Structures are given as C-alpha cells and as structure tokens.
Amino acid sequence: MALVRTEKLSKVYNPDTVPVHALRDVSITIEPGEFTSIVGPSGSGKTTLLNMIGGLDKPSSGKVFINGTDLTGMKDSKLIDFRLQNIGFVFQHYNLIPVFTARENVSFIMLLQKRDKKEMLRRADELLESVGLGDRKDARPKEMSGGQQQRVAVARALASEPKFILADEPTANLDSTAAMNLLDIMLRMNKEQNVTFVFSTHDQRVIDRARRVITMVDGAVDSDERRDGTNESGDSTGKGNSTGTGTSTGTGTGNGNGNAQKS
Amino acid sequence: MLTYIKLAWRNIWRNKRRTLITASAIVFAVLAAVFMQSMNRGSHEMILDNMVRFSTGYVQLQDYRYDDESSLDNSFFFDGSVKDRVMEADPNIDMVLPRIETFMLAANDAATRGSILLGIDPEKEHRFNELRNRLTEGRFFEKDESSVMLAKGLAERLQLSVGDTLVLMGRGRFGMTASGLYEIVGLVEFPLRDLNNQVVLIPLPEAQFLLSADDYITSLLIAPGHERHTESIARTLNETFADDELVAYTWAELLPELLELFEFDLAVPKLLTVVLYIVIGFGFFGTILTMTMERLREFGVLLSVGMKRGKLALVVFLETLFISLIGVLSGVVISWLIIFYFHRNPVELTGDAAQAVIDMGWDPVLPMSFAADQFYTQGFFVFAVAMIVFLFPLVKIVTLNILEAARS
Ligand SMILES: Nc1ncnc2c1ncn2[C@@H]1O[C@H](COP(=O)(O)OP(=O)(O)O)[C@@H](O)[C@H]1O
Ligand SMILES: [Mg+2]
C-alpha cells in the first residue's frame, strides 16, 4: 500500500472573494523509503500540498490517504493525534520550544505520545548524537545556530517514530554549509534507517540530491522525476547545466532548468 | 504534568521584566486592599471589643421580655443556685457578671441629667474588662459600699468631682420610688462615648436595695474561656433555660445595628478594592494578551506536531496561575508582615486627630485589624481575576487555525 496517496487534490483559497487556485487536481503517490522533494517557484503550491498531506489543512476537493487512512473527513482532535503518531514535521523556522533545551524539545514529542520516561531520555540523547549534536543537548534554541536548530527539529521529528517526515523548506534559512549538512543527515537517515522524507525546497543543490523530484507549477504537478540512488554524492552527472546556473537559490532559474531537463 | 509545569514556569520568565511588572501590580493591589480593609476593620474591632467588654458581654442572659421592654419589671431572679446552674451548663464558661441596669435622673444641687445606673460586682467587672485601670480620679469602690463612681463625661456635665454628693431619682421595680444620695468616690473613663456621658456605677447590692430589686438583675454577662465558644455557649444556655423564661443572646445579636453600620462603613473600601482589581485586571490582561499574541506561531507549531489544544491551554493556564500566585503570595506575605508590625506597634496619632480619638475615650492609636480572612479574600479575588483573564488565551487556543498561526 502506498504511504501517501492524494487523489485529485484541489485547494481554492478565498473562493467567495478573490479565488486563488493553490492546488489543481494533484494526484501523487509516495512509497515508503522515498526521499522526495517538491520543487517549484514561490507560490506554486508546495506548502499547500505539504499541509494537505500533513493533515494541517483541508482540501477543497479530492482526498488524502496516509497508509490507507482518509484524512479529509477527520475531526480536528483526531487529526492532532494522527499527526502525532504518524507524521514528523520540520518547518522553515520557529520549530522549537524556545524555553526547552535540545534534549527537552526532542523528548517533549515522546511525552505527548506518553512514552516511558527513561526510554524517552535515552532516545532523545541517541537522536541528538545521530544528528551530530551530542555536545549540545542542554543548549536552548537561542544558543544554537540555525543549522543546529534545524537538526534538533529533525531529531524531534524522528523521535515520534513517524511513518514519514514532512519538511517545508527546511534549509531555506540556512547558509549553504549548514544546508548541506542538514541534507546529509536527512539522506543518511533515509539510507540507513529507511526513513521516508518529503520536503519542499527551491535550493538547487538540495534538489540535485533528491531521489525523486516533483515539480509544481501554478498548483499543478508539472513533472515527476525519479533518479533512484544515483545522486547521493551531490554533483551528479547530467546535472551540469542545472548546477551551473543554480548555485544561487533563485527559484525561477532552478525550475526553468528542471523543466528543460524533462522535455 | 511536571513537564507542563516546567514549560509554563519557564515561559513566564521569557520576558522577566513584564512578568515582574505584572506581579508587582498584583502585589500592590493586594497591599492596598489589605491595608484599606485592615484600617477600617481595625477601628471596628476596637469599637466592638469595647462594646463587648463594657456593654454587652460575649453572651448575655436576659428575661425573654427584656429585649422588647428594657425595664426593671423584666429583670430576673439571680442567686447562687442560678449561678451554679449557669456555670454547670457549659464547661466553656469562664465566669459570669451579674448587672442591673436602669434609667435614672442624676442631679447635683443645680442641674439634672438622664443617666444609666449600672449596678455591678466591682471585682468581677475588673477581671472582665480591667475597669479599675479606667479610673482617672479617686478610688475604686468595694462591693459592700454605698457609694458611686461616675463616668467622666457625666461628671463634667454635672460639674461634679470626687467627694461630691450625687442625687439619684427614679423608679424601682414595680413602680416603687427610688431615690438616694451617694458620695462620689471615683471617676471612670469609658472607651465608649455613650457610656462615658451617662453611666453611674454602683455596687450591685446597693443598686438592688435602691431599686427594691433584691436578688434581681437585668442581665447576666457571660465570659467564655475563649471567644470562639460564644455561639455554642449561647446555644446550650438557651436549651438549659428554655423553661425559665430566660434567653441568651450573643453580642452579634445584641448589636445588629452596629454590625450593619460596619458593613456600610466597609462599602467604600470594598468598592475601591473592586475598582483596584478591575484596573489590575486590565494590566494583567494586557500581559497575557501580548504573551498569547506573540506566541501564536509557536502555538501553531505545537498543535502541528501533535500537542492537543487542551494541553496547550493547560500550559497557558498554568502561566496565568503562576503570575497571579507570585503576585498574591508576595502581596499577602508583605502585607502580613507590615500589618503584623503595625498591629504590634500601632501608629500613634498626634494633633487634632489624636484629640478627637481621646475625646471618644479611645487610645490615640491607629488600630489595624489582623483578621486572617482579609488575606485570603485577596487571594480569592486575584484568582478570580486570573480566571477571567485566562478566558482570552483559552478562546484563542480553542479557535486557533494552525495555518493562520503559522503565517502570522
Ligand atoms: N491562507 C491562504 N489564503 C489565501 N491564499 C493563500 C493562502 N495560502 C496560500 N495561498 C496562496 O496559494 C498559493 C500557493 O501558496 P503556497 O502553497 O504557499 O506556495 P509555495 O509554498 O509553493 O510558495 C499562493 O498563490 C498563495 O498566495
Ligand atoms: Mg512555501
């Protein structure tokens, strides 16, 4: 069974005043173990799509299935619990509870899941070590760099043992070293522990390392490209033209290249 | 739960200054409210204390008709055996003070004044209210004397002093004429103006003789071992003497107008307290409002990752509670200490104010009440304010749209 399946997903904001078609009949399927990026220019509907998949927003029409469960009719309180048990989230910013240390932030999610306390702390430490923050466990978000904060967010997302992790532009606020570092960690989790990642980005170097790239234009899927297992190294073959133009994170260029490649 | 408490506690210190200012405002409100009340109630307590000790007693036994018609005709028989019955009725009774009281004309050779003749047992009276210490001139009479002591105000009105002779004229029991000449052996200053301007003290046996009321008294004052036994003693006495046409009243039942007056007197400070709390409430509300509004995005993230709205509301509730608790507890502790100090070392009044108070027969100090309920009522008030203030974040959290919060 597919992990995520959307069925003719559409979203219209402000249908009564100035309708904005944020999503148009999006039907995609994501299997366990994928490392999928959603790319596209700003306003193309990436965030909206991730929100629908994450059960954070309701579609205007169409359906979302997670492991066969239909999210669209679910009540708010049930959805919150469903998210807690099934989906890990990494947002662009303001991910962490500012007054909690890294360790507390990671264990908090397990507390919400009512896990055993000892096991909680052990796992939190383990996860922080695996994202390279073994020595920053007692640091608060304020005392960490943006990259470190996002790594804590990834550790937190993993802590709940979700079916998959949704990350909306997780690297957008990071410098390139930190961004690559975060991506390395995500890739390693994906390879070693088979964690499924679905993330949006408009950073070309991030796109280059994704194993599947779904390109959105104007709320619709423009292309869906799989390049299985070929580009963990970052500088893959056949990508010459896109890296050449796209060291910057400009969405326009990045996507232009993506489209050109497909055709 | 511990984690939520930890979260809430740390959250309130995210903006240390704001929390401290809010808590200080609550401290200030509690202080002001307790002070206002304490001063008002302090003078009330003093008046009541004097009333009870010099006028009504804690519990008073009377003929059941005396309350309607305070006349000697409604006095009752009291001898050693009745006394024993009273003392045996309730082990919490410390002692009893028989009194006979009636209206009489008091005169010197030139003027006549209405007066209250009070027949007392001088020793017992002193034990109960330290009457001897109120003596300003002359000496304190003995039980078997036939002389009188005059309240100071009355003596001044009649221009009489120690050594002079007082003429008493009136009616005894069952319409018998009663009149006599008595030597004034002492002047007594009462701490209650009405008493001070009217009372003629006379030993009980002499009064009974003068009024043709041998073995009769108008009231028996009961002194409990402890004040808290007042109600229960009145209850047992009413049961014990139900068939004897006697009724026991507590001081509160005997002084309803005074208590009402005090209630009325407290109306203004109470109103001020309410206004004060409304003002503080708005300040508190402002803090919680900003605390909520600047964290909407964070709330959105928490709800996204799986925190239930109820849990989030709990955290914010704890924050509200903590701030109010910090304010209330410090306010109560500080006001307790200050009032404890002033209770022990009362502020001395000076000048006109002091004179006015002295004229009333009171000590020239500012009495402060130390009653416990003054403190916990404030706690209750602030808690109520906190609950109202909490409604805002509660509504906000319940209705929060996750995505809008994330965008804000
Ligand atoms: N809450 C909203 N109300 C109105 N329009 C919205 C709302 N959210 C998103 N949109 C619009 O929907 C479109 C897609 O937005 P979004 O999914 O955020 O794109 P992306 O993440 O690719 O930049 C944009 O035109 C955006 O302006
Ligand atoms: Mg977006």
Side-chain angles (χ1 to χ4, degrees), chain A residues 13-14 20-22 40-49 168-169, chain B residues 404 407:
Chain A
Y13 288 111
N14 318 323
V20 178
H21 292 265
S42 176
S44 57
K46 304 183 292 291
T47 299
T48 308
L49 178 59
D168 192 8
E169 314 228 14
Chain B
E404 271 162 31
R407 275 168 182 272

Side-chain angles (χ1 to χ4, degrees), chain A residues 126-177:
Chain A
E126 202 178 274
L127 283 166
L128 283 169
E129 264 150 44
S130 72
V131 298
L133 290 173
D135 55 343
R136 304 290 289 152
K137 287 171 193 152
D138 294 317
R140 296 205 186 177
K142 248 203 307 242
E143 301 151 5
M144 290 186 277
S145 69
Q148 289 176 329
Q149 288 184 36
Q150 289 306 71
R151 273 141 69 191
V152 177
V154 169
R156 181 193 60 189
L158 285 165
S160 61
E161 293 178 340
K163 306 268 179 340
F164 62 102
I165 291 179
L166 286 177
D168 192 8
E169 314 228 14
T171 61
N173 284 3
L174 307 182
D175 63 46
S176 52
T177 327

Side-chain angles (χ1 to χ4, degrees), chain B residues 22-44:
Chain B
T22 310
S24 312
I26 296 171
V27 170
F28 168 76
V30 170
L31 272 178
V34 171
F35 251 73
M36 256 184 323
Q37 273 213 22
S38 174
M39 261 157 52
N40 270 273
R41 287 174 53 171
S43 57
H44 294 170

Side-chain angles (χ1 to χ4, degrees), chain A residues 8-15 20-23 48 52 57-63 72:
Chain A
K8 291 201 160 213
L9 206 55
S10 291
K11 178 71 182 181
V12 185
Y13 288 111
N14 318 323
V20 178
H21 292 265
L23 287 182
T48 308
M52 299 292 160
D57 201 0
K58 300 259 180 227
S60 305
S61 66
K63 282 185 181 332
T72 30

Side-chain angles (χ1 to χ4, degrees), chain B residues 158-213:
Chain B
L158 288 170
Q159 291 179 319
L160 288 171
S161 59
V162 173
D164 294 341
T165 301
L166 178 76
V167 182
L168 285 174
M169 291 170 294
R171 233 168 45 88
R173 204 164 166 253
F174 298 124
M176 307 287 280
T177 345
S179 60
L181 294 178
Y182 293 96
E183 189 201 343
I184 301 167
V185 296
L187 297 187
V188 170
E189 185 168 18
F190 283 95
L192 293 164
R193 187 154 49 174
D194 281 354
L195 295 184
N196 206 36
N197 288 336
Q198 296 188 71
V199 165
V200 177
L201 290 169
I202 187 167
L204 183 63
E206 182 59 35
Q208 286 170 329
F209 171 74
L210 172 71
L211 301 171
S212 319

